[in-house]
Amino acid sequence: MDPLVRTARVTGLLYLGLAVAGGLGFLLVRSRLFVDGDPAATLANVTAHGSLARAGVALELLTVLTQALAALWFYRLFRTADSFAAGAIAVFGTVNAVVILVSAALLSTTLSVRDGAQVQLLYLVSGALWSAGGIFFGLWLIPMGWCVLRSGWMPRALGWVLVAGGAGYVLAAFSEHAVPAAADLLVLPATVGELWMVGYLIVRGVRRTAPQPEAQLQPQP
């Protein structure tokens, strides 16, 4: 197998792991434990469903691991297409992983706290970290889309969708406080782009007949 295709598929599998772990942890597990505005109910859920709460922590840690590794593999994949943009993917992806790591530490703390107000506060701060971290998640999608455009290894439309989705994530981090209703619409292009990117990386990898990126075509001094 072509080494570039192999790298693309490993990157796609890591990205898939990130999407599954993040989706299950934040959207499914959290929604079954956290009750907005009711600290007693949140504490009761965490106490009664300890295994689920621990699974939520494990899923957030898995999110951290897969995003950090995916960030590195995206750099490995795109570094010859645009080294600066590829480095930006690695940096912003790693920073977002660190944000989620702090969230995981907070959720881990809820397992040993027996005060409803404290548990509620920890969940609220964890959720706020995910929202604020959306800035860095958006910032990692923008150079990812740019690398797609520069490399010619994937459909150009995918590159533009990722750029738009990244910009939407950055704006959503602000609009969540100013215009909350607009946040879900702003991140919609990112959802489409991420699913498309994961599927393309795993199934196709890269175009074998793609033109070489501009960085490789420049004559060596």
Side-chain angles (χ1 to χ4, degrees), residues 86-145:
I89 299 174
V91 170
F92 291 131
T94 301
V95 172
N96 190 69
V98 171
V99 172
I100 305 306
L101 181 63
V102 177
S103 171
L106 294 175
L107 294 187
S108 178
T109 305
T110 66
L111 301 176
S112 57
V113 173
R114 292 294 177 265
D115 181 89
Q118 292 181 358
V119 170
Q120 190 80 350
L121 177 61
L122 290 168
Y123 266 94
L124 287 171
V125 176
S126 169
L129 284 168
W130 275 79
S131 297
I135 291 179
F136 293 104
F137 195 80
L139 289 176
W140 103 309
L141 290 177
I142 293 172
M144 188 187 301

Coordinates of all heavy atoms in Angstrom, one line a residue, residues 86-145:
A86 N -0.1 22.5 8.3 CA -0.1 21.2 8.9 C 0.4 21.3 10.4 O -0.2 20.7 11.3 CB 0.9 20.3 8.2
G87 N 1.3 22.2 10.6 CA 1.7 22.5 12.0 C 0.6 23.1 12.8 O 0.4 22.8 14.0
A88 N -0.2 24.0 12.2 CA -1.3 24.6 12.9 C -2.4 23.6 13.3 O -3.0 23.6 14.3 CB -2.0 25.7 12.0
I89 N -2.6 22.6 12.4 CA -3.5 21.5 12.7 C -3.0 20.8 14.0 O -3.8 20.5 14.9 CB -3.6 20.5 11.6 CG1 -4.2 21.1 10.3 CG2 -4.6 19.3 12.0 CD1 -4.2 20.2 9.1
A90 N -1.7 20.5 14.0 CA -1.2 19.8 15.2 C -1.3 20.6 16.5 O -1.7 20.1 17.5 CB 0.3 19.4 14.9
V91 N -1.0 21.9 16.4 CA -1.0 22.8 17.6 C -2.4 23.0 18.1 O -2.6 22.8 19.3 CB -0.3 24.1 17.2 CG1 -0.5 25.1 18.4 CG2 1.2 23.9 17.0
F92 N -3.3 23.4 17.2 CA -4.6 23.7 17.7 C -5.4 22.4 18.1 O -6.1 22.4 19.1 CB -5.4 24.4 16.6 CG -5.0 25.8 16.3 CD1 -4.7 26.2 15.0 CD2 -4.8 26.7 17.3 CE1 -4.3 27.5 14.7 CE2 -4.3 28.0 17.0 CZ -4.1 28.3 15.7
G93 N -5.1 21.3 17.4 CA -5.7 20.0 17.9 C -5.2 19.6 19.3 O -6.0 19.1 20.1
T94 N -3.9 19.8 19.5 CA -3.4 19.5 20.8 C -3.9 20.3 21.9 O -4.2 19.9 23.0 CB -1.8 19.5 20.8 OG1 -1.3 18.7 19.7 CG2 -1.2 19.2 22.1
V95 N -4.0 21.7 21.6 CA -4.6 22.6 22.6 C -6.0 22.2 23.0 O -6.4 22.2 24.1 CB -4.5 24.0 22.1 CG1 -5.2 25.0 23.1 CG2 -3.1 24.5 22.0
N96 N -6.8 21.8 22.0 CA -8.2 21.4 22.2 C -8.2 20.2 23.1 O -9.0 20.0 24.0 CB -8.9 21.2 20.9 CG -10.4 21.0 21.2 OD1 -11.1 22.0 21.5 ND2 -10.9 19.8 20.9
A97 N -7.2 19.2 22.8 CA -7.2 18.0 23.6 C -6.9 18.4 25.1 O -7.4 17.7 26.0 CB -6.1 17.1 23.0
V98 N -6.0 19.3 25.3 CA -5.7 19.7 26.7 C -6.9 20.3 27.4 O -7.2 20.0 28.6 CB -4.5 20.8 26.7 CG1 -4.3 21.3 28.1 CG2 -3.2 20.1 26.2
V99 N -7.7 21.1 26.6 CA -8.9 21.6 27.2 C -9.9 20.5 27.7 O -10.4 20.5 28.8 CB -9.7 22.5 26.2 CG1 -11.0 22.9 26.7 CG2 -8.8 23.8 25.9
I100 N -10.0 19.5 26.8 CA -10.9 18.3 27.2 C -10.3 17.5 28.3 O -11.0 16.9 29.1 CB -11.1 17.4 25.9 CG1 -11.7 18.3 24.8 CG2 -12.1 16.3 26.3 CD1 -13.0 19.1 25.1
L101 N -8.9 17.5 28.4 CA -8.3 16.8 29.5 C -8.7 17.5 30.8 O -8.9 16.8 31.8 CB -6.8 16.9 29.3 CG -5.9 16.2 30.4 CD1 -6.2 14.7 30.4 CD2 -4.4 16.4 30.1
V102 N -8.7 18.8 30.9 CA -9.2 19.5 32.1 C -10.6 19.1 32.4 O -11.0 18.9 33.6 CB -9.0 21.0 31.9 CG1 -9.5 21.7 33.2 CG2 -7.6 21.4 31.7
S103 N -11.5 19.1 31.4 CA -12.8 18.6 31.6 C -12.9 17.2 32.2 O -13.7 17.0 33.1 CB -13.6 18.7 30.3 OG -14.9 18.1 30.4
A104 N -12.1 16.3 31.7 CA -12.1 14.9 32.2 C -11.7 14.9 33.6 O -12.2 14.1 34.4 CB -11.2 14.1 31.3
A105 N -10.7 15.8 34.0 CA -10.3 15.8 35.4 C -11.4 16.3 36.3 O -11.6 15.8 37.4 CB -9.1 16.7 35.5
L106 N -12.2 17.3 35.8 CA -13.3 17.8 36.6 C -14.4 16.7 36.8 O -14.9 16.5 37.9 CB -13.9 19.0 35.9 CG -13.0 20.2 35.9 CD1 -13.7 21.3 35.1 CD2 -12.7 20.7 37.3
L107 N -14.7 16.0 35.7 CA -15.7 14.9 35.8 C -15.2 13.8 36.7 O -16.0 13.1 37.4 CB -16.0 14.4 34.4 CG -16.7 15.3 33.4 CD1 -17.1 14.6 32.2 CD2 -17.9 16.0 34.1
S108 N -13.9 13.5 36.7 CA -13.4 12.5 37.6 C -13.6 12.9 39.0 O -13.8 12.0 39.9 CB -11.9 12.3 37.3 OG -11.3 11.3 38.1
T109 N -13.5 14.2 39.3 CA -13.6 14.7 40.7 C -15.0 14.5 41.2 O -15.3 14.2 42.4 CB -13.3 16.2 40.7 OG1 -11.9 16.4 40.2 CG2 -13.3 16.7 42.2
T110 N -16.0 14.5 40.3 CA -17.4 14.4 40.7 C -17.7 13.0 41.3 O -18.6 12.8 42.0 CB -18.4 14.6 39.5 OG1 -18.2 13.5 38.5 CG2 -18.2 15.9 38.8
L111 N -16.8 12.0 40.9 CA -17.0 10.6 41.4 C -16.8 10.5 42.9 O -17.2 9.6 43.6 CB -16.1 9.7 40.7 CG -16.3 9.6 39.2 CD1 -15.3 8.7 38.5 CD2 -17.7 9.1 38.8
S112 N -16.0 11.5 43.5 CA -15.7 11.4 44.9 C -16.3 12.5 45.7 O -16.0 12.7 46.9 CB -14.2 11.4 45.1 OG -13.6 12.6 44.5
V113 N -17.1 13.4 45.1 CA -17.8 14.5 45.8 C -19.2 14.1 46.1 O -19.9 13.5 45.2 CB -17.7 15.8 44.9 CG1 -18.5 16.9 45.5 CG2 -16.3 16.2 44.7
R114 N -19.7 14.4 47.3 CA -21.0 14.1 47.7 C -21.9 15.3 48.0 O -22.9 15.2 48.6 CB -21.0 13.1 48.9 CG -20.4 11.8 48.6 CD -21.3 11.0 47.6 NE -20.7 9.7 47.3 CZ -20.0 9.5 46.2 NH1 -19.8 10.5 45.3 NH2 -19.5 8.3 45.9
D115 N -21.5 16.4 47.5 CA -22.2 17.6 47.6 C -22.9 18.0 46.3 O -22.1 18.2 45.3 CB -21.3 18.8 48.1 CG -22.1 20.1 48.3 OD1 -22.7 20.3 49.4 OD2 -22.2 20.9 47.4
G116 N -24.2 18.1 46.2 CA -24.9 18.4 45.0 C -24.4 19.6 44.3 O -24.3 19.7 43.1
A117 N -24.3 20.7 45.1 CA -23.9 22.0 44.5 C -22.5 21.9 43.8 O -22.2 22.5 42.8 CB -23.9 23.1 45.5
Q118 N -21.6 21.2 44.5 CA -20.2 21.1 44.0 C -20.2 20.2 42.7 O -19.5 20.5 41.7 CB -19.3 20.5 45.0 CG -19.0 21.4 46.2 CD -18.1 20.7 47.2 OE1 -17.7 19.6 47.1 NE2 -17.8 21.5 48.3
V119 N -21.0 19.1 42.7 CA -21.1 18.3 41.5 C -21.6 19.1 40.3 O -21.2 19.0 39.2 CB -21.9 17.0 41.8 CG1 -22.2 16.2 40.5 CG2 -21.2 16.1 42.8
Q120 N -22.7 19.8 40.6 CA -23.3 20.6 39.6 C -22.3 21.6 39.0 O -22.3 21.8 37.8 CB -24.5 21.3 40.2 CG -25.4 22.0 39.1 CD -26.4 21.1 38.4 OE1 -26.2 19.9 38.6 NE2 -27.3 21.6 37.6
L121 N -21.6 22.3 39.9 CA -20.6 23.3 39.4 C -19.5 22.6 38.6 O -19.1 23.2 37.5 CB -19.9 23.9 40.7 CG -18.8 25.0 40.4 CD1 -19.4 26.1 39.5 CD2 -18.2 25.5 41.7
L122 N -19.1 21.4 39.0 CA -18.0 20.8 38.2 C -18.6 20.4 36.8 O -17.8 20.6 35.8 CB -17.6 19.5 38.9 CG -16.8 19.7 40.2 CD1 -16.6 18.4 41.0 CD2 -15.4 20.3 39.8
Y123 N -19.8 20.0 36.7 CA -20.4 19.7 35.4 C -20.6 21.0 34.6 O -20.3 20.9 33.3 CB -21.7 19.0 35.5 CG -21.6 17.5 35.5 CD1 -21.5 16.7 36.6 CD2 -21.6 16.8 34.3 CE1 -21.3 15.3 36.6 CE2 -21.5 15.4 34.2 CZ -21.3 14.7 35.4 OH -21.2 13.3 35.3
L124 N -20.9 22.0 35.2 CA -21.1 23.3 34.5 C -19.8 23.8 33.9 O -19.7 24.3 32.8 CB -21.7 24.3 35.4 CG -23.2 24.2 35.7 CD1 -23.7 25.1 36.8 CD2 -24.1 24.3 34.5
V125 N -18.7 23.7 34.7 CA -17.4 24.2 34.3 C -16.9 23.3 33.1 O -16.3 23.7 32.1 CB -16.4 24.2 35.4 CG1 -15.0 24.6 34.9 CG2 -16.8 25.2 36.5
S126 N -17.2 22.0 33.3 CA -16.8 21.0 32.2 C -17.5 21.4 30.9 O -16.8 21.4 29.8 CB -17.2 19.6 32.6 OG -17.0 18.7 31.5
G127 N -18.8 21.6 31.0 CA -19.5 22.0 29.8 C -19.0 23.3 29.2 O -18.9 23.5 28.0
A128 N -18.6 24.3 30.1 CA -18.1 25.5 29.6 C -16.8 25.4 28.9 O -16.5 26.1 27.9 CB -18.0 26.5 30.8
L129 N -16.0 24.4 29.4 CA -14.7 24.2 28.7 C -14.9 23.6 27.3 O -14.2 24.0 26.4 CB -13.9 23.2 29.6 CG -13.2 23.7 30.8 CD1 -12.7 22.6 31.7 CD2 -12.1 24.7 30.4
W130 N -15.9 22.7 27.2 CA -16.2 22.2 25.8 C -16.6 23.3 24.9 O -16.2 23.4 23.7 CB -17.3 21.1 25.9 CG -16.8 19.8 26.2 CD1 -16.4 19.3 27.4 CD2 -16.6 18.7 25.3 NE1 -16.0 18.0 27.3 CE2 -16.1 17.6 26.0 CE3 -16.8 18.6 23.9 CZ2 -15.8 16.3 25.4 CZ3 -16.5 17.4 23.3 CH2 -16.0 16.3 24.0
S131 N -17.4 24.2 25.4 CA -17.9 25.3 24.6 C -16.8 26.3 24.2 O -16.6 26.7 23.0 CB -19.0 26.1 25.3 OG -20.1 25.3 25.6
A132 N -16.0 26.7 25.2 CA -14.9 27.6 24.9 C -13.8 26.9 24.0 O -13.2 27.5 23.1 CB -14.2 28.1 26.2
G133 N -13.6 25.6 24.2 CA -12.6 24.9 23.4 C -13.0 24.8 22.0 O -12.2 24.5 21.1
G134 N -14.3 25.1 21.7 CA -14.8 25.1 20.3 C -13.9 26.0 19.4 O -13.8 25.9 18.2
I135 N -13.4 27.1 20.1 CA -12.5 28.0 19.3 C -11.3 27.2 18.7 O -11.0 27.4 17.5 CB -12.0 29.1 20.2 CG1 -13.2 30.1 20.6 CG2 -10.9 29.9 19.5 CD1 -12.8 31.2 21.5
F136 N -10.7 26.4 19.5 CA -9.5 25.7 19.0 C -9.9 24.6 18.1 O -9.2 24.2 17.2 CB -8.7 25.1 20.2 CG -8.1 26.2 21.0 CD1 -8.6 26.6 22.2 CD2 -6.9 26.9 20.5 CE1 -8.0 27.6 23.0 CE2 -6.3 27.9 21.2 CZ -6.9 28.3 22.5
F137 N -11.1 24.0 18.3 CA -11.6 22.9 17.4 C -11.8 23.6 16.0 O -11.5 23.0 15.0 CB -12.8 22.3 17.9 CG -13.2 21.0 17.2 CD1 -12.5 19.8 17.6 CD2 -14.1 20.9 16.2 CE1 -12.8 18.6 16.9 CE2 -14.4 19.8 15.5 CZ -13.7 18.6 15.9
G138 N -12.4 24.8 16.0 CA -12.6 25.5 14.8 C -11.3 25.8 14.1 O -11.1 25.7 12.9
L139 N -10.3 26.2 14.9 CA -9.0 26.6 14.4 C -8.3 25.4 13.8 O -7.4 25.6 13.0 CB -8.2 27.3 15.5 CG -8.7 28.7 15.9 CD1 -7.9 29.3 17.0 CD2 -8.6 29.7 14.7
W140 N -8.6 24.2 14.3 CA -7.9 23.1 13.7 C -8.5 22.7 12.4 O -7.9 22.1 11.5 CB -7.7 22.0 14.7 CG -8.6 20.8 14.6 CD1 -10.0 20.7 14.6 CD2 -8.2 19.4 14.7 NE1 -10.4 19.4 14.6 CE2 -9.4 18.6 14.6 CE3 -7.0 18.7 14.7 CZ2 -9.3 17.2 14.7 CZ3 -6.9 17.4 14.8 CH2 -8.1 16.6 14.7
L141 N -9.8 22.9 12.2 CA -10.5 22.6 11.0 C -10.1 23.5 9.8 O -10.1 23.1 8.7 CB -12.0 22.7 11.2 CG -12.7 21.6 12.1 CD1 -14.2 21.8 12.2 CD2 -12.4 20.2 11.5
I142 N -9.9 24.8 10.1 CA -9.6 25.8 9.1 C -8.3 25.4 8.3 O -8.3 25.3 7.1 CB -9.5 27.2 9.6 CG1 -10.9 27.6 10.1 CG2 -9.0 28.2 8.6 CD1 -11.0 29.0 10.8
P143 N -7.1 25.2 9.0 CA -5.9 24.7 8.3 C -6.1 23.4 7.7 O -5.4 23.1 6.7 CB -4.8 24.8 9.4 CG -5.5 24.7 10.7 CD -6.9 25.4 10.5
M144 N -6.9 22.5 8.3 CA -7.2 21.2 7.7 C -7.8 21.4 6.3 O -7.4 20.7 5.3 CB -8.1 20.4 8.6 CG -8.3 18.9 8.2 SD -9.5 18.1 9.2 CE -8.9 18.3 10.8
G145 N -8.8 22.2 6.2 CA -9.4 22.5 4.9 C -8.4 23.1 4.0 O -8.4 22.8 2.8

